[in-house]
């Protein structure tokens, strides 16, 4: 009797993700406990207790819309060659991975490439397309910094801050985008066994970045509304969710230009490799919003409320998606059919 095929072990099991989710709950509980007992935070606690449920409902809707936008971006990034159901599972698994796995936000795209390869999609397609999706969603944030920083710095948008907080971030974002775009021209040779471990992985990473940048430009030339609209909506609805949280706890957010800058720059805290970026993301967002003129108490209340939605919804939908993906990867016949389809398309 043959053993039942199992999903590859580089795709996390539902049990492992549930353990991660429990760890995330513990971290959030500690955070809530700190807010509830530390002296000097009475105003934050009062704003929590008086939060407007209608605006909290708007926050939920905006976070869900952001995730749906990412779903559209995922399907657009694979040129619609994966159906809506498959791309939904892939998108939610990537979102869940970003929340549950301490990878600084890179785990989602990496997981997407692994899942596609295991499902029968050629590596030459899966890996650069996943890298391109990561670069394009990141590019939306850099574009927001450039637009908001420039418009606020020259007075087209209200911001209430100096050029150091507006034109400087915009200039640095332009430099970063240009530097990444230039990676598409990297002359990367193939790694060899004679090279050291670090050198080989450096070449692998350089080749991945080069291919991801090239795929990004190719996808942009296709002008797929799913991809472009998804990347913009993924960021725009997240910003709107934070705005709704400020309204829920009584307002106090900075003007729109500074608001966008505070959110996009504050997300850098997510690079700290903790589950969901807990600690770093809250600190980064609260610090940047206060730096851009928002009062401390409503900012802390709004950001903590937002993070409950930003972490909770992807975690729940991600665990469900992971279970579906693992069941799909056990179906060797379906994987063989996918491989055959790609082989037929590649044939002359």
């Amino acid at each position: 009797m043959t053993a039942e095929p199992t999903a590859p072990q580089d795709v996390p099991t539902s049990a492992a993700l549930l353990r991660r989710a429990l760890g995330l709950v513990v971290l959030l509980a500690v955070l809530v406990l700190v807010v509830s007992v530390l002296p000097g935070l009475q105003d934050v606690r009062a704003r929590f207790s008086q939060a407007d449920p209608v605006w909290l409902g708007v926050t939920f809707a905006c976070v869900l819309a952001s995730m749906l936008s990412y779903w559209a971006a995922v399907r657009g990034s694979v040129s619609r060659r994966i159906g809506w159901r498959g791309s939904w599972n892939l998108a939610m698994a990537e979102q869940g991975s970003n929340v549950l796995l301490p990878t600084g936000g890179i785990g989602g795209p990496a997981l997407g490439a692994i899942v596609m390869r295991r499902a029968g999609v050629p590596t030459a397609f899966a890996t650069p397309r996943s890298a391109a999706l990561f670069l394009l969603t990141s590019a939306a944030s850099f574009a927001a910094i450039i637009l908001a920083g420039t418009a606020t710095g020259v007075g087209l948008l209200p911001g209430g801050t100096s050029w150091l907080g507006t034109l400087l971030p915009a200039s640095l974002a332009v430099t970063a985008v240009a530097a990444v775009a230039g990676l598409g021209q990297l002359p990367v040779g193939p790694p060899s066994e004679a090279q050291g471990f670090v050198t080989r992985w450096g070449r692998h990473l350089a080749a991945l970045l080069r291919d991801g940048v090239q795929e990004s430009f190719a996808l942009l030339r296709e002008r797929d509304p799913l991809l472009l609209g998804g990347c913009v909506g993924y960021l725009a609805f997240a910003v709107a969710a934070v705005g709704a949280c400020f309204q829920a706890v009584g307002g106090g957010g900075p003007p729109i230009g500074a608001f966008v800058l505070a959110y996009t720059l504050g997300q850098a805290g997510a690079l700290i490799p903790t589950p969901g970026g807990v600690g770093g993301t809250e600190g980064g967002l609260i610090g940047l919003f206060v730096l851009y003129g928002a009062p401390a108490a409503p900012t802390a209340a709004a950001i903590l409320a937002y993070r409950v939605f930003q972490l909770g919804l992807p975690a729940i939908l991600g665990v469900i998606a992971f279970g579906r993906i693992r069941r799909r990867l056990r179906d060797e016949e379906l994987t063989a059919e996918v491989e055959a389809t790609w082989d037929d398309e590649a044939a002359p």
Side-chain angles (χ1 to χ4, degrees):
M1 182 176 178
T2 58
E4 181 184 358
T6 58
Q9 294 307 305
D10 47 11
V11 177
T13 65
S14 296
L17 288 171
L18 285 173
R19 288 194 295 270
R20 296 277 189 180
L22 288 175
L24 183 61
V25 169
V26 170
L27 283 175
L28 288 174
V30 170
L31 194 60
V32 170
L33 180 63
V34 169
V35 173
S36 63
V37 300
L38 278 183
L41 298 180
Q42 293 88 345
D43 193 8
V44 176
R45 292 192 287 270
R47 288 176 180 272
F48 267 128
S49 63
Q50 300 168 10
D52 187 337
V54 174
W55 279 109
L56 292 178
V58 174
T59 301
F60 174 86
C62 288
V63 172
L64 180 59
S66 178
M67 296 181 68
L68 293 175
S69 297
Y70 188 77
W71 175 26
V74 166
R75 188 156 193 254
S77 71
V78 296
S79 300
R80 311 189 187 206
R81 299 176 73 175
I82 297 177
W84 282 111
R85 182 176 180 180
S87 57
W88 165 267
N89 289 330
L90 187 62
M92 295 306 107
E94 290 187 12
Q95 293 279 279
S97 174
N98 286 335
V99 167
L100 297 173
L101 303 179
T103 54
I106 303 175
L111 175 77
I114 292 171
V115 169
M116 284 194 284
R117 293 200 304 266
R118 299 300 189 187
V121 177
T123 300
F125 181 90
T127 301
R129 287 302 176 99
S130 295
L133 177 62
F134 173 75
L135 291 173
L136 290 174
T137 52
S138 300
S141 295
F142 281 96
I145 294 171
I146 294 169
L147 293 174
T150 303
T152 305
V154 300
L156 294 178
L157 287 177
T161 188
S162 70
W163 67 271
L164 285 173
T166 55
L167 296 179
L168 179 59
S171 301
L172 294 175
V174 169
T175 303
V177 170
V180 173
L183 295 177
Q185 306 302 318
L186 277 177
V188 182
S192 68
E193 294 299 325
Q195 296 169 333
F197 175 82
V198 174
T199 302
R200 290 201 308 274
W201 273 103
R203 286 183 178 270
H204 279 300
L205 179 60
L208 177 61
L209 288 172
R210 179 199 61 200
D211 295 344
V213 170
Q214 291 175 354
E215 287 290 333
S216 297
F217 280 114
L219 287 169
L220 288 174
R221 286 192 292 269
E222 293 180 6
R223 298 179 182 177
D224 188 329
L226 278 181
L227 176 62
L228 300 179
C231 290
V232 173
Y234 179 51
L235 173 64
F237 283 115
V239 174
V242 179
C245 278
F246 268 99
Q247 293 300 316
V249 300
I256 181 61
F259 196 103
V260 173
L261 286 168
Y263 179 82
T264 49
L265 294 173
Q267 283 294 329
L271 296 175
I272 296 177
T274 59
V278 172
T281 302
E282 293 81 9
L285 288 172
I286 293 172
L288 264 295
F289 272 100
V290 171
L291 185 64
Y292 278 99
T299 297
I303 296 304
L304 293 177
Y306 165 67
R307 289 287 284 163
V308 171
F309 291 99
Q310 189 196 28
L311 294 171
L313 196 54
I316 294 170
L317 295 179
V319 168
I320 296 171
F322 271 112
R324 291 173 176 170
I325 286 173
R326 292 186 67 83
R327 288 194 295 272
R328 160 64 182 83
L329 295 181
R330 293 189 184 100
D331 191 337
E332 294 182 345
E333 291 185 1
L334 185 55
T335 298
E337 290 178 7
V338 173
E339 291 175 343
T341 299
W342 285 88
D343 289 342
D344 290 342
E345 291 181 1

